Amino acid sequence: MKLMVVGSGGREHALAWKLAQSPRIQTVYVAPGNGGTARDPRLSNVELPELAEGFTPAALAALADFAEAEKVAFTLVGPEAPLAAGIVNVFRARGLRVFGPTSEAAQLESSKDFAKAFMKRHGIPTAEYETFTDADAAHRYIDAKGAPIVVKADGLAAGKGVVVATSVDEAHEAVDMMLGDNKLGQAGARVVIEEFLAGEEASFIVMVDGKHVLPLATSQDHKRLLDGDTGPNTGGMGAYSPAPVVTPQLHARVMREIILPTVRGMEADGIRFTGFLYAGLMIDANGNPRTLEFNCRMGDPETQPIMARLKGDFAKVVELAIDGRLDTVELSWDRRTALGVVLAARGYPENPAKGDLIAGIPDETDASVTFHGGTTLRDGKLTSTGGRVLCVVGLSDSVRGAQATVYDTINQISFEGMQYRRDIGYRALNRKH
Ligand code: ATP
């Protein structure tokens, strides 16, 4: 059986790596893939010229042509852009098996206004908010509410569309940037302004087949560039699983108050949700969860430690999800903690460097695996292509042990200006002591 994963990051490498472990798999195509997926003999990169322009209608058609010609049994979509562009709609219209939400369902992520209105309508706990297209009205709202306050571009802005403003001036500037100067284009032509929520964040990711919901292991991401959650926001600098902040009681509550009402609410609104559903949660000091955002795909880097812990035949799980049979699946997890640390390019996130030679990645062991993100393999040489270059995952019975394994591995790896956090997992450690 041949499968395809769409995307080129660490998340997609981890998904393809896990799928390739299934006994019935001949090859897993990765479109377009990266240096790590090029190096793995069980994986095969797909170079379609149409993909150079992003996920245009022509690119989606070329991917569907490829899946048809190669008799791909099913396609798993990693990032949000092709989902929002309608890859699932295109594949389904051509009778091709695919796991992910349609573009209509992907609005839970691609439009913050859609997501907030949906949550309000269905009583799902989230921050108070208002949506604006008029800058004057937005400025008046900020003056009335005061700081801290959060300003968000409505559309997809690759992590640049959220400003957590600690002062009223900063919030006004964010509104001017999005609505006035049009810096984010169409994505910022509408803004959501919402109440600041304090607490600890956690990622809650489930698989949905339209009706049934299967939770994955819990995880926690580290969004800021520098240790102690300081510095600019990034795509994510590291993650670990499980996340002890999500106790069994909280898990049950999130399923009852957030996840199930979301899936039922989408069905009631006439948009069946299929795919990975990711609720970004803020858990306050009293242990009450609220939804910061929805993503309609897995997180990067949460996928890397989650896949490292998942046992059994993942391809079978995705097949059953596509068939609407998730109620028959029980997942089993490695009991160890998996902890992933991202090695980012120099200059990331503002101005990431490219073309640096990468050396020293050790072979995978039972306790350590390195997933590639921004890498390419040319003439046997592995070089960086920017952003988040690698994600090193370690597994151990303790968070501290997993950290030790990861940082030992990192000491063997080198590329010019490599930057990474030294404290991934610190919240879990604080909690246990
Ligand atoms: P992602 O890259 O995770 O998809 P995004 O651009 O969709 O991010 P959000 O997840 O909504 O944006 O916000 C990014 C980050 O901003 C959150 O992870 C959180 O740290 C912070 N944040 C967002 N909303 C709030 C809020 N209401 N109160 C406090 N912090 C918030």
Side-chain angles (χ1 to χ4, degrees):
M1 183 159 85
K2 295 189 256 181
L3 308 179
M4 178 158 73
V5 171
V6 175
S8 63
R11 167 183 50 211
E12 288 75 28
H13 188 186
L15 290 170
W17 170 85
K18 188 66 213 171
L19 287 171
Q21 291 171 11
S22 298
R24 297 164 299 141
I25 303 304
Q26 209 179 320
T27 191
V28 180
Y29 293 113
V30 191
N34 58 40
T37 55
R39 259 209 317 209
D40 187 328
R42 298 163 308 172
L43 313 180
S44 181
N45 284 0
V46 180
E47 289 182 21
L48 298 171
E50 292 87 347
L51 275 178
E53 305 294 317
F55 295 101
T56 58
L60 301 188
L63 285 165
D65 290 343
F66 180 85
E68 207 167 80
E70 290 298 320
K71 301 198 169 42
V72 165
F74 68 77
T75 298
L76 190 59
V77 186
E80 60 275 23
L83 294 166
I87 189 169
V88 171
N89 308 55
V90 169
F91 272 54
R92 281 194 190 151
R94 293 178 53 166
L96 296 165
R97 283 161 68 79
V98 60
F99 188 60
T102 59
S103 58
E104 295 78 18
Q107 288 177 93
L108 270 184
E109 173 168 5
S110 64
S111 167
K112 293 201 191 294
D113 177 48
F114 177 93
K116 296 295 289 191
F118 172 85
M119 285 190 265
K120 198 167 175 180
R121 193 161 63 244
H122 294 285
I124 295 162
T126 188
E128 291 288 321
Y129 83 107
E130 291 262 350
T131 301
F132 299 92
T133 49
D134 175 57
D136 289 341
H139 288 306
R140 280 198 299 276
Y141 184 77
I142 289 167
D143 284 334
K145 292 285 176 183
I149 193 160
V150 183
V151 182
K152 299 184 175 186
D154 175 51
L156 294 177
K160 295 198 167 62
V162 174
V163 176
V164 181
T166 48
S167 70
V168 170
D169 286 347
E170 206 184 329
H172 285 307
E173 267 173 41
V175 165
D176 287 336
M177 182 266 285
M178 293 178 199
L179 288 179
D181 303 340
N182 217 6
K183 284 262 168 62
L184 300 177
Q186 216 25 49
R190 185 192 292 263
V191 301
V192 166
I193 303 184
E194 72 177 26
E195 170 196 7
F196 172 83
L197 300 177
E200 180 171 350
E201 288 182 59
S203 309
F204 201 100
I205 308 175
V206 300
M207 292 175 79
V208 186
D209 66 10
K211 201 168 190 59
H212 312 105
V213 178
L214 182 70
L216 301 184
T218 58
S219 58
Q220 192 175 53
D221 183 13
H222 299 61
K223 284 249 168 248
R224 301 295 194 100
L225 183 69
L226 305 174
D227 284 9
D229 292 329
T230 57
N233 249 325
T234 70
M237 294 299 290
Y240 62 97
S241 169
V245 64
V246 185
T247 59
Q249 293 78 358
L250 181 62
H251 193 282
R253 221 178 130 187
V254 172
M255 286 295 285
R256 196 172 60 238
E257 295 179 11
I258 295 172
I259 300 292
L260 294 174
T262 300
V263 175
R264 304 276 173 272
M266 289 295 279
E267 204 176 358
D269 290 352
I271 309 177
R272 276 176 60 133
F273 191 95
T274 50
F276 293 104
L277 177 66
Y278 168 138
L281 305 176
M282 186 68 89
I283 297 141
D284 72 15
N286 299 318
N288 297 315
R290 281 200 277 178
T291 314
L292 285 181
E293 61 157 346
F294 286 118
N295 294 319
C296 60
R297 36 84 193 171
M298 287 198 72
D300 187 342
E302 293 96 322
T303 305
Q304 291 86 316
I306 289 176
M307 284 296 128
R309 287 187 64 216
L310 181 60
K311 290 181 161 180
D313 187 341
F314 183 47
K316 184 79 204 154
V317 174
V318 179
E319 279 189 313
L320 287 166
I322 294 171
D323 291 338
R325 305 258 318 277
L326 275 181
D327 55 323
T328 64
V329 180
E330 208 164 317
L331 296 176
S332 116
W333 301 97
D334 194 319
R335 296 177 67 85
R336 294 176 295 175
T337 291
L339 187 135
V341 175
V342 168
L343 307 182
R346 66 195 147 94
Y348 179 76
E350 286 304 318
N351 205 2
K354 292 181 182 176
D356 292 313
L357 205 59
I358 304 162
I361 301 175
D363 288 342
E364 177 184 331
T365 68
D366 174 55
S368 156
V369 51
T370 299
F371 295 112
H372 293 231
T375 73
T376 186
L377 189 66
R378 288 268 178 269
D379 307 325
K381 282 204 183 101
L382 192 67
T383 55
S384 66
T385 56
R388 295 179 294 162
V389 177
L390 299 168
C391 178
V392 179
V393 176
L395 292 125
S396 170
D397 290 332
S398 67
V399 177
R400 211 174 272 296
Q403 273 187 339
T405 304
V406 169
Y407 291 111
D408 264 2
T409 309
I410 291 176
N411 284 337
Q412 302 172 49
I413 301 175
S414 62
F415 59 88
E416 183 70 32
M418 164 172 120
Q419 46 168 342
Y420 59 94
R421 278 179 62 162
R422 268 88 175 159
D423 67 343
I424 301 300
Y426 79 95
R427 286 183 190 273
L429 288 173
N430 290 347
R431 190 167 286 273
K432 282 185 176 159
H433 291 156

